[in-house]
Amino acid sequence: MEKRKLGNSQLYVNPVGLGCMGFSHGYGAPMEKAAAVRTLQEACEIGYDFLDTAESYYGANPDGTISYNEELVGEAVKGIRDKVVIATKMGVSHNADRSLKLDSSPETIRRSVEVSLKKLGTDYIDLYYQHRIDPKVEPETVAETMSELIKEGKIRYWGISEATEEYLRRANAVCPVTAVQNRYSMMARWHETIFPVCEELNVAYVAFSPMANGFLTGKYTPGTKFDSSRDYRADMPQYTEEGFAKAKELLDMLTKMAAEKNATMGQLSLAWMMNKKPYIVPIPGSRKLERLKENFEAGNIILTKDEITMIDSRLDTMDLAVFGGHSGR
């Protein structure tokens, strides 16, 4: 499995990264701490060397304590810090209704980086993202602050999540951007328009929700129920009866191709994007060790250019545009 270089950086990672959010946020009650840390350690043993977290990923435990995702990641990588690339994010907090509160002011960035360094138990962050664009702060201001943090050695590189072309260009002109982290899956392709810009500027594309929040694994049915108070999937249109009906053609295509490739549906959906562009790194997440192994092995599946073109042509005919998933991450 050949490693991928993240944009203009000196960071090399395996083709499949690990989205750590679900261990403590957005997918039900947080996983028990010791079990979560052990699972993260086992993921690293499998080969995951690119771990993605954020300051806003946390949830309440049954005893009322808070499970902070960054603390779980920090605990898991003790002793192997130099063997993994840690990405975390700033600029987002969650309101009671799950809507996002955005703040990318220089003061908040500096305050947030110190908190993240402490929770992670490290003296540097490999890749530090602006979690969402803050309309109150110019991209040049954010980029300048990130440049200062790089010079101070607190972060090595920086990136932007949910970046637009204009914002990326303006920010990159001040301080080179290493990666954008945008939603991307067979059910969410609207950010493909930024691919040429990534190629021009040498920016990696880190794909979050690469299996449409688990939908493309084929493991769920219209009868699957999610806890609406803790699990984002309860509000996602693909998990409704109508959503399953609209996606039937896609699921059938995945089922057929997965069988031909001796792969799972989830693996095929990951392989599709990794074989499409060498700078795409998906970051699927799971709490289950067997699923982590399965996702990681997707990096070994080869799809030809003709196969990718065929898949894209089929996707172009499907009515999947509404399936963006929940934005509150």
Side-chain angles (χ1 to χ4, degrees):
M1 194 177 293
E2 186 176 348
K3 287 184 180 283
R4 299 194 168 194
K5 186 171 181 282
L6 294 180
N8 54 27
S9 75
Q10 292 302 309
L11 303 174
Y12 292 84
V13 299
N14 280 319
V16 182
L18 178 59
C20 301
M21 181 183 80
F23 286 98
S24 56
H25 178 81
Y27 286 83
M31 191 174 183
E32 191 274 325
K33 181 177 181 180
V37 169
R38 181 56 195 152
T39 302
L40 284 165
Q41 291 171 333
E42 290 173 331
C44 293
E45 291 167 8
I46 290 169
Y48 285 97
D49 56 5
F50 184 29
L51 309 183
D52 181 89
T53 183
E55 68 170 347
S56 63
Y57 297 165
Y58 58 85
N61 294 308
D63 63 1
T65 61
I66 300 298
S67 174
Y68 291 102
N69 204 259
E70 289 177 321
E71 290 182 349
L72 300 179
V73 172
E75 183 70 23
V77 302
K78 283 183 178 178
I80 59 167
R81 176 64 186 91
D82 61 335
K83 302 293 194 301
V84 298
V85 170
I86 295 177
T88 191
K89 314 177 195 73
M90 52 65 55
V92 160
S93 58
H94 292 90
N95 296 310
D97 63 355
R98 292 186 183 174
S99 62
L100 304 183
K101 184 184 300 182
L102 308 178
D103 184 356
S104 289
S105 64
E107 298 78 15
T108 294
I109 295 175
R110 287 194 162 276
R111 183 168 57 251
S112 292
V113 77
E114 297 298 340
V115 173
S116 289
L117 287 168
K118 184 176 180 180
K119 282 188 167 63
L120 289 165
T122 185
D123 55 6
Y124 68 96
I125 293 165
D126 297 292
L127 181 57
Y128 198 44
Y129 290 107
Q130 180 185 17
H131 203 157
R132 288 289 184 274
I133 292 173
D134 181 353
K136 304 183 300 298
V137 182
E138 299 298 326
E140 292 82 3
T141 301
V142 175
E144 181 57 40
T145 306
M146 294 296 191
S147 177
E148 292 169 0
L149 293 178
I150 291 171
K151 291 173 184 174
E152 294 166 16
K154 293 180 178 179
I155 68 174
R156 297 179 67 190
Y157 304 98
W158 82 290
I160 307 163
S161 185
E162 292 287 56
T164 63
E165 176 181 345
E166 178 189 5
Y167 195 92
L168 173 58
R169 288 188 180 280
R170 288 175 59 184
N172 188 77
V174 175
C175 181
V177 176
T178 289
V180 298
Q181 184 184 129
N182 287 10
R183 183 181 297 275
Y184 189 51
S185 74
M186 288 183 172
M187 303 181 84
R189 297 172 60 208
W190 48 84
H191 286 302
E192 288 182 348
T193 56
I194 208 170
F195 287 175
V197 185
C198 289
E199 293 165 12
E200 175 192 340
L201 302 179
N202 192 17
V203 173
Y205 190 107
V206 177
F208 76 79
S209 300
M211 293 184 287
N213 303 93
F215 186 85
L216 297 178
T217 64
K219 303 294 184 183
Y220 300 93
T221 71
T224 303
K225 301 299 181 184
F226 301 104
D227 180 356
S228 60
S229 67
R230 288 178 173 264
D231 196 318
Y232 289 152
R233 290 171 294 185
D235 299 329
M236 293 180 183
Q238 64 264 46
Y239 284 108
T240 63
E241 289 193 17
E242 179 187 7
F244 273 93
K246 282 192 171 185
K248 183 179 185 304
E249 184 181 354
L250 171 57
L251 295 176
D252 288 346
M253 179 185 75
L254 279 174
T255 300
K256 181 175 183 294
M257 288 196 70
E260 293 170 352
K261 290 289 182 179
N262 193 29
T264 66
M265 295 167 65
Q267 286 177 326
L268 191 67
S269 66
L270 295 173
W272 162 76
M273 65 177 66
M274 288 186 286
N275 283 272
K276 178 178 288 197
K277 300 291 184 181
Y279 52 83
I280 293 179
V281 178
I283 51 169
S286 179
R287 300 180 179 187
K288 299 177 181 178
L289 190 59
E290 63 271 21
R291 193 77 64 240
L292 292 172
K293 292 177 180 177
E294 175 187 317
N295 292 344
F296 188 76
E297 285 302 317
N300 288 318
I301 297 173
I302 303 300
L303 296 179
T304 66
K305 288 185 178 180
D306 286 345
E307 287 172 325
I308 292 170
T309 298
M310 180 276 292
I311 292 171
D312 286 351
S313 296
R314 292 280 302 277
L315 292 174
D316 287 341
T317 68
M318 299 178 192
D319 180 19
L320 302 172
V322 299
F323 300 130
H326 199 284
S327 62
R329 61 175 295 282

